[in-house]
Amino acid sequence: SSEHVFMVTSTGTVFLCWDFYILGIKFSILYVCFLQWEEVSIMDEKNIPIRTYQVCNVLEPNQNNWLRTDWIPRSGAQRVYVEVKFTLRDCNSLPGVTGTCKETFNLYYHESNEDRESYIKESSFIKVDTVAADESFTQVDVGDRIMKLNTEVRDVKVTTRKGFYLAFQDVGACIALVSVRVFYKTCPLTIRNLATFPDTVTGADTSSLVEVRGSCVNQSEEREEPKMYCGADGEWLVPIGGCVCNPGYEEKGGACKACSVGFYKARSSDAGCSKCPPHSHSLRDGATVCDCHSGFFRANSDPPSMACTQPPSAPQQLISVVNETSVVLEWAPPRRLGGRSDTSYSLECLICQTGSHSQTSSRSCLACGSDVLFSPGQTGLKTTRVVVSELRAHTHYTFIIHARNGVSQASGAGAAQSVAVTVTTNQAVPSLVSSIQATDVTRHSLSLSWQQPDRPNGVILEYEVKFYEKDQRERSYRIMRTFSRSADVTGLKPLTVYVFHVRARTAAGYGEFSAPYEFSTNSDPFPLIGEGVNSAFLLLSVSGVGILLLITAAVFIISRRRSKYSKTKQDSEEEKHLNPGVKIYVDPFTYEDPDQAIHEFAKEIDVSSIHIERVIGVGEFGEVCSGRLRVQGKREIYVAIKSLKAGYSDKQRRDFLSEASIMGQFDHPNIIRLEGVVTRCKPLMIITEYMENGSLDAFLRKHDGQFTVIQLVGMLRGIASGMKYLSDMSYVHRDLAARNILVNSNLVCKVSDFGLSRVLEDDPEAAYTARIPIRWTAPEAIAYRKFTTASDVWSYGIVMWEVVSYGERPYWDMNNQDVIKAIEEGYRLPAPMDCPVVLHQLMLDCWERERAERPSFSQILNMLDKLIRNPGTLRRTGGDRNKYNTILPEVCVPEWSVCEWLQSIGLERYRDTLAAAGYTSLESLLALTHQEMDRLGIITPTHQDILISSVQQEMLSQMQHMQHTMVPV
Ligand code: ACK
């Protein structure tokens, strides 16, 4: 119904124009028809010119018009978004347009590395989508200049090439592309948990997450690997791990800022900066640790959060207690610990020359050897007590206790924190004897030798050998003493294993017994030399059975004879301990602290339980009183109270108490009993049982001639029993005399006064000769201080003499020098008036020059018991009391051959004994047995042996003589 005007431009654009009238008004429409996509400028609704690509071949069927973009570099994108803005003409609003008109277009892409592909086949493009318009415009809209702009976004994965082309396919729509925006998405740069995550291109797929590792911000370090995921829509997801600020820095606003002055942060893991601890400061920003104020220190192991501290001051109140060769050191902790709790102590041990007062002088002091023992240790001590042992005896030591703590080294402090003490060790018992060896082993004997102890700690006065049959254990053992480092042990059983222990004795007492050494006796009668057999024995073996038998018989006879001898000889030479578990006396002077010994052996008595009645005498240390003691729960008893007079010296106190320490170890009816001591208040007292009749010598003098012999022997028996007990305990009295025997109301005699042994040892030079009781003392003890049980036996003989003579002074008014000389020349006290011969004989036995020949207390006791059982043997007495009487031989009556024979063998002393027992001829003497001689009081073992063997010899020679002189008729 209107005129159509077609104009075709050179580019193929067709302008379609027509006019039409509505209600008489003429409208002209210019419709531009594009044969292909055409770039056209149009005005948008705001009348701003914009460039568009248009196509509108709606009249022609089968349209296929392509518009392609330039090459678009991918730039790392994996999924690109294409936002297309376009307008589209409503097909219905186009007049005359039939079924050819479309309202969609197609979007394609083609990936390529080529940025200038001139020709791309249609088939190379991949379709993204068919895009339809949400809105389309009509003729009216055009007239009203209304832009109905559509915006459609499509996304596509582009991962295979460097870039891509987009293409728009028109299949017959009237369309104008206003804009095409191609973009990809990123997760933007961000900081999470002190880690920076970069701007990150999203993944290829709509659901893919790109894992991204963050990097720590400045002045921070990784706590745990920082990670996040970049989602397809450009959002960060799931933050993991993170970073922490470096030491000296703390987090502020997602960054790490330096700690300010006065603050520090030591570790990155610390929450934030902290104020400097006490006695420290930081002068610059970013401090990781605060510096200590001057005079304060920090140990390597101290945490930076700890206050700065100082070394300790010196230990205080160092005290030392010397115990022989050990020293106990004890001190109090330093006054200032420097603000720390790790104070430790170390001990420096120096041996200093005599008289050196310098505590640290290296000139006069040397470090102690490595053999000194420190318990619990020498360094790193946490306790304030150390026992130092294995020190040398009689040596000056300086001990320096250093106090240290964790900052001592840092502070460079040394001697200022130490305290020193100088001590002198005491005498000590010798250390262990070692390397005991046995040589010359025979059936009955062996020779032992050993090494001197490593630490003799003084001059070794003697060795003591203890031995027992292995099978017997220590139920029964024997003791031998010797000066040398060897001993011949005899009287052993053949083929028997013996256990030997040896210990040494110095002035300080006995050391410990050595470890056990086992040796076995032989079955061979001869000593073994080295590994081989005695050559004499070999010779005899091959010399024939007869000779062998003869020798065997001889050996048998001799050994039978000798067995008594050797056994008894040992009894006198060695104290024999047959009582199982017999106690050995402990010298209280082996205790460093006399109070320790006293409290070990004596009971402390409360002074209030003692009631003193009267003074009964004066002892060495003060008055002796009698009184009563009432101990709770016991009946009241009479006691003697010895007190220590005021103004005593340490040594006097020690000597005084030592007697109680000795006495307290004994428990025997013939030893004075200690009730206890008073040491906690003054005066010091020793309380003993009360002996009504006082000292034996005074008591006998008072009752001169008033007792029967049996009573006297009874007293002597008591004393011998007490002395046997002491000798069994290895205690040597050294001052056995009637004045030191106390007598009670029942005439029971008890040995007392245990003070002398120490006096003699303490002051061997001055006190020795002055105080030694010469008249009572054995010659070897006077000559070279060989005090033994055998020397006590000598003294016992003198006591016997005192008793039988009713308290006469031994050797009357002879002076000491004369006594010593007379004894040396063989003089012995004569029998006191009315003295039974057997008793005097026993005295003479006790006064044998050779101490081994003297009887033991056990033998004396047996002898006295026999005499008491057979009072008849006491009937025979010697001559009158006669000053300077001697026991030198009297002339034999010529016709009595026994007398001459006894003279010839030097045993004329038994003349009367044998005669009294009816032994008047040599023949009769052949019947003598050991038992018989024991009974007669001939108890010296060698004497018995000599008598038996000599009488046999004599008879044999007499018979031989007769055979030669008598001629048969
Ligand atoms: O001969 P006496 O009376 O006996 O004089 C001395 C004195 O003290 C000095 O030692 C006597 N005496 C010592 N101990 C006792 C005691 N336990 N019982 C009785 N008297 C004693 C001693």
Side-chain angles (χ1 to χ4, degrees), residues 322-327 388-394 425-429 455 457:
V322 179
N323 182 0
E324 293 185 354
T325 54
S326 300
V327 178
V388 189
S389 52
E390 302 284 309
L391 296 167
R392 294 189 211 151
H394 294 295
T425 49
N426 290 338
Q427 62 180 9
V429 296
R455 293 161 170 273
N457 291 332

Coordinates of all heavy atoms in Angstrom, one line a residue, residues 322-327 388-394 425-429 455 457:
V322 N 86.1 -33.9 111.7 CA 87.1 -34.9 111.3 C 86.9 -36.2 112.0 O 86.7 -36.2 113.2 CB 88.5 -34.4 111.6 CG1 89.6 -35.4 111.2 CG2 88.8 -33.1 110.9
N323 N 86.8 -37.3 111.2 CA 86.7 -38.6 111.8 C 87.8 -39.4 111.2 O 87.7 -39.9 110.1 CB 85.3 -39.2 111.5 CG 85.1 -40.5 112.2 OD1 86.0 -41.0 112.9 ND2 84.0 -41.1 111.9
E324 N 88.9 -39.6 112.0 CA 90.1 -40.3 111.5 C 90.5 -39.7 110.1 O 90.9 -38.6 110.1 CB 89.8 -41.8 111.3 CG 89.6 -42.4 112.7 CD 89.5 -43.9 112.6 OE1 89.4 -44.5 111.5 OE2 89.4 -44.6 113.6
T325 N 90.3 -40.4 109.1 CA 90.7 -39.9 107.8 C 89.5 -39.5 106.9 O 89.6 -39.5 105.7 CB 91.5 -41.0 107.0 OG1 90.8 -42.2 106.9 CG2 92.9 -41.2 107.7
S326 N 88.4 -39.3 107.6 CA 87.2 -38.7 106.9 C 86.9 -37.4 107.4 O 87.2 -37.1 108.6 CB 86.0 -39.6 107.0 OG 86.3 -40.9 106.6
V327 N 86.3 -36.6 106.6 CA 85.9 -35.2 107.1 C 84.5 -35.0 106.6 O 84.2 -35.3 105.5 CB 86.8 -34.1 106.5 CG1 86.3 -32.8 107.0 CG2 88.2 -34.3 107.0
V388 N 84.0 -36.4 103.0 CA 85.3 -36.7 102.2 C 86.0 -37.8 103.0 O 86.3 -37.7 104.2 CB 86.1 -35.4 102.2 CG1 87.3 -35.6 101.2 CG2 85.3 -34.2 101.8
S389 N 86.3 -38.9 102.2 CA 86.9 -40.0 102.9 C 88.2 -40.4 102.1 O 88.4 -39.8 101.1 CB 86.0 -41.1 103.1 OG 85.4 -41.4 101.9
E390 N 88.8 -41.4 102.6 CA 90.1 -41.9 102.0 C 91.2 -40.8 102.0 O 92.0 -40.8 101.1 CB 89.9 -42.4 100.6 CG 88.8 -43.5 100.5 CD 89.3 -44.8 100.9 OE1 90.4 -45.3 100.5 OE2 88.6 -45.4 101.8
L391 N 91.1 -39.9 103.0 CA 92.2 -38.9 103.1 C 93.4 -39.6 103.8 O 93.3 -40.6 104.4 CB 91.7 -37.7 104.0 CG 90.5 -37.0 103.3 CD1 89.9 -36.0 104.3 CD2 91.0 -36.2 102.1
R392 N 94.5 -38.9 103.8 CA 95.7 -39.4 104.5 C 95.6 -39.0 105.9 O 95.0 -38.0 106.3 CB 96.9 -38.7 103.9 CG 97.2 -39.1 102.5 CD 98.6 -38.6 102.1 NE 98.6 -38.2 100.7 CZ 99.4 -37.3 100.2 NH1 100.2 -36.6 101.0 NH2 99.4 -37.0 98.9
A393 N 96.1 -39.9 106.7 CA 96.1 -39.6 108.2 C 97.1 -38.5 108.5 O 98.1 -38.3 107.7 CB 96.5 -40.9 108.9
H394 N 96.9 -37.8 109.5 CA 97.8 -36.7 110.0 C 98.2 -35.8 108.9 O 99.3 -35.4 108.7 CB 99.1 -37.4 110.6 CG 98.8 -38.1 111.8 ND1 98.4 -37.6 113.0 CD2 98.9 -39.5 112.0 CE1 98.2 -38.5 113.9 NE2 98.6 -39.7 113.4
T425 N 93.6 -34.2 109.5 CA 93.0 -35.6 109.7 C 93.7 -36.2 110.9 O 94.8 -35.9 111.3 CB 93.2 -36.5 108.5 OG1 94.6 -36.4 108.1 CG2 92.3 -36.1 107.4
N426 N 93.0 -37.2 111.5 CA 93.5 -37.8 112.7 C 94.3 -39.1 112.3 O 94.4 -39.4 111.1 CB 92.4 -38.3 113.6 CG 91.7 -37.1 114.2 OD1 92.3 -36.0 114.3 ND2 90.5 -37.2 114.6
Q427 N 94.7 -39.7 113.4 CA 95.3 -41.0 113.1 C 94.1 -41.9 112.7 O 93.0 -41.7 113.0 CB 96.0 -41.6 114.3 CG 95.0 -41.8 115.5 CD 95.7 -42.3 116.7 OE1 97.0 -42.4 116.7 NE2 95.0 -42.7 117.7
A428 N 94.5 -42.9 111.9 CA 93.5 -43.8 111.4 C 94.0 -45.2 111.4 O 95.2 -45.5 111.4 CB 93.1 -43.4 110.0
V429 N 93.1 -46.1 111.5 CA 93.5 -47.5 111.4 C 94.0 -47.8 110.0 O 93.7 -47.2 109.1 CB 92.4 -48.5 111.8 CG1 91.9 -48.2 113.2 CG2 91.2 -48.3 110.8
R455 N 97.5 -48.1 102.8 CA 97.5 -46.9 103.7 C 97.8 -47.4 105.1 O 96.8 -47.7 105.8 CB 96.2 -46.2 103.6 CG 95.9 -45.5 102.3 CD 94.4 -45.3 102.3 NE 94.1 -44.5 101.1 CZ 94.1 -43.1 101.1 NH1 94.4 -42.5 102.2 NH2 93.8 -42.4 100.0
N457 N 98.7 -45.7 107.5 CA 98.3 -44.6 108.4 C 99.0 -44.6 109.7 O 98.5 -44.4 110.7 CB 96.8 -44.8 108.6 CG 95.9 -44.5 107.4 OD1 96.4 -43.7 106.6 ND2 94.8 -45.1 107.3

